[in-house]
Amino acid sequence: MLFKYLNKNYTFNRYPSSKNKSLKPWSAADEHTLEYLKCNNLVDNNIIIYNDRFAFLTCLLNQYNPITVISYKSQEKASLNNLLANKLSILDTQLINPLSTIEKPLDICIIKIPKSLELFRLFLYQISQKTHKNTIVICSFMTRHFSSQLISIASEFYNINEQSTAWKKSRLLILKKPKVVNKISITNIINVKEGKDLKQFFGVFSAKHIDYGSQFFIQHLVQPQDDLRILDLGAGNGILAREIRNKNRNCELHLIDDFYLAVESSKLNLSEEKTFFHYDDNLSKFQNNYFNYIISNPPFHFEYEINSEISINLFKEVHRCLINNGHFQLVANKHLNYKTHLNKIFSTVKTIAQNDKFIIYDCIKGS
């Protein structure tokens, strides 16, 4: 998809790609940020960019050597793809993760406000370690996503916050005059009735309790046999994998997630003995017929988008990675109707349990 900026044409593609042509690699909120930068002549050499999922701003501001914070492996791949597509030097862009220490003082901070307000708080906290009295933070969002909590969180870190007028149904929140911020904890504790409490970093799904889908899955989780290779796909904070480990001390257990902070959270909750953590958005690193048993509580929300295509493509990868007669068990919201797609991939698809909201499938790969 083409975009013209400062008399130069750029091309952007989504990764992973989607059949839904209405989904663009940028939003009006991104364009609003560009207009603000241009109108206020704010471009500087010390720029950091957050939540730039398809590297739209990263590419357009590439000449200023921005720091881009990468929260997802899919975001990293999209960024590299679009930088190369626009013949931009990858060496001119510094990619860091949300837990990295920022090395130099920041002049301009750009945040496309994420759906998770806890993640927004983590971004502001990371910035606060390297701001100075003239630092400006530009936070963009679509007007329909406004919440008074945005102002409340921003006020924890900045003395001045100003809202722009609406432009193409988007707004900007401009933050100035940083406050002195004491060190804060960036993890949540989730109390578990039986067993050790869970820890997870800000922004990881379901911060206050074990999500209801996982709770339902745990109630009906089949006891795996000994000495299996097991994968938790979309592992989040590792709650399902930890249940597996409690039932089976000898298995080779793998956890994979697209979200960097989820992978780092799961490391807080499981021992590394015979346990392997993977930060990735697909299963390409695993050979065919590798796993005996795969479990998943797959996501279908990606920020404000609902996209089941990603999960369905992963189901095909699951089939490739399973041994013959291996089992893939997943919990899903009933309205997603995954069974239609699972029936096309697996030889047998059974319903293990269901309630008003969730359904658990057991899918078997035929020999």
Side-chain angles (χ1 to χ4, degrees), residues 230-245:
I230 299 174
L231 172 67
D232 183 354
L233 172 62
N237 62 21
I239 177 60
L240 296 179
R242 197 170 79 169
E243 287 295 314
I244 291 291
R245 175 59 78 210

Side-chain angles (χ1 to χ4, degrees), residues 105-172:
L106 299 168
D107 299 319
I108 305 295
C109 307
I110 300 170
I111 303 175
K112 187 174 183 179
I113 297 178
K115 184 178 181 181
S116 167
L117 297 184
E118 277 200 335
L119 190 56
F120 181 45
R121 179 181 277 111
L122 188 151
F123 290 164
L124 289 177
Y125 178 64
Q126 188 184 42
I127 287 170
S128 73
Q129 310 306 299
K130 283 295 179 179
T131 52
H132 53 79
K133 64 180 182 179
N134 295 319
T135 299
I136 297 177
V137 183
I138 305 163
C139 308
S140 67
F141 59 95
M142 299 306 292
T143 303
R144 65 182 180 275
H145 300 148
F146 175 77
S147 163
S148 60
Q149 289 179 277
L150 296 181
I151 305 299
S152 177
I153 293 170
S155 297
E156 295 176 25
F157 298 90
Y158 288 87
N159 287 294
I160 298 176
N161 56 74
E162 305 165 344
Q163 274 198 70
S164 73
T165 56
W167 182 81
K168 292 186 178 181
K169 299 181 180 179
S170 71
R171 288 184 184 271
L172 300 180

Side-chain angles (χ1 to χ4, degrees), residues 55 72 83 92 97 103 107 136 141 206 208 213-214 299 344 360:
Y72 298 87
L83 284 164
D92 290 337
N97 67 63
E103 300 297 334
D107 299 319
I136 297 177
F141 59 95
S206 193
K208 300 184 184 302
S214 292
K344 296 176 182 178
I360 302 172

Side-chain angles (χ1 to χ4, degrees), residues 17-181:
S17 60
S18 173
K19 296 177 182 178
N20 185 346
K21 300 305 179 184
S22 67
L23 297 176
K24 293 169 58 177
W26 70 86
S27 72
D30 296 315
E31 294 183 55
H32 201 162
T33 297
L34 287 176
E35 282 297 307
Y36 184 86
L37 289 169
K38 185 169 66 173
C39 292
N40 291 276
N41 195 28
L42 285 178
V43 176
D44 203 289
N45 285 331
N46 294 321
I47 301 173
I48 193 166
I49 304 171
Y50 287 82
N51 203 26
D52 189 21
R53 186 174 168 191
F54 302 108
F56 178 74
L57 296 173
T58 300
C59 287
L60 298 182
L61 301 175
N62 184 257
Q63 63 180 306
Y64 304 107
N65 305 323
I67 300 170
T68 296
V69 177
I70 299 292
S71 299
Y72 298 87
K73 178 57 74 169
S74 55
Q75 179 192 359
E76 179 183 325
K77 293 178 180 179
S79 298
L80 296 176
N81 288 346
N82 283 326
L83 284 164
L84 289 172
N86 289 290
K87 298 181 172 58
L88 298 171
S89 173
I90 295 172
L91 298 177
D92 290 337
T93 303
Q94 183 183 350
L95 305 181
I96 66 172
N97 67 63
L99 300 180
S100 295
T101 299
I102 299 169
E103 300 297 334
K104 59 185 180 180
L106 299 168
D107 299 319
I108 305 295
C109 307
I110 300 170
I111 303 175
K112 187 174 183 179
I113 297 178
K115 184 178 181 181
S116 167
L117 297 184
E118 277 200 335
L119 190 56
F120 181 45
R121 179 181 277 111
L122 188 151
F123 290 164
L124 289 177
Y125 178 64
Q126 188 184 42
I127 287 170
S128 73
Q129 310 306 299
K130 283 295 179 179
T131 52
H132 53 79
K133 64 180 182 179
N134 295 319
T135 299
I136 297 177
V137 183
I138 305 163
C139 308
S140 67
F141 59 95
M142 299 306 292
T143 303
R144 65 182 180 275
H145 300 148
F146 175 77
S147 163
S148 60
Q149 289 179 277
L150 296 181
I151 305 299
S152 177
I153 293 170
S155 297
E156 295 176 25
F157 298 90
Y158 288 87
N159 287 294
I160 298 176
N161 56 74
E162 305 165 344
Q163 274 198 70
S164 73
T165 56
W167 182 81
K168 292 186 178 181
K169 299 181 180 179
S170 71
R171 288 184 184 271
L172 300 180
L173 181 63
I174 309 301
L175 309 180
K176 302 176 182 178
K177 304 296 182 185
K179 294 180 177 179
V180 176
V181 178

Side-chain angles (χ1 to χ4, degrees), residues 1 10 45 99 143 208 217 242 254 275 298-299 312 325 367:
M1 190 171 290
Y10 293 82
N45 285 331
L99 300 180
T143 303
K208 300 184 184 302
F217 200 2
R242 197 170 79 169
H254 294 257
T275 306
I312 292 166
N325 298 315
S367 56

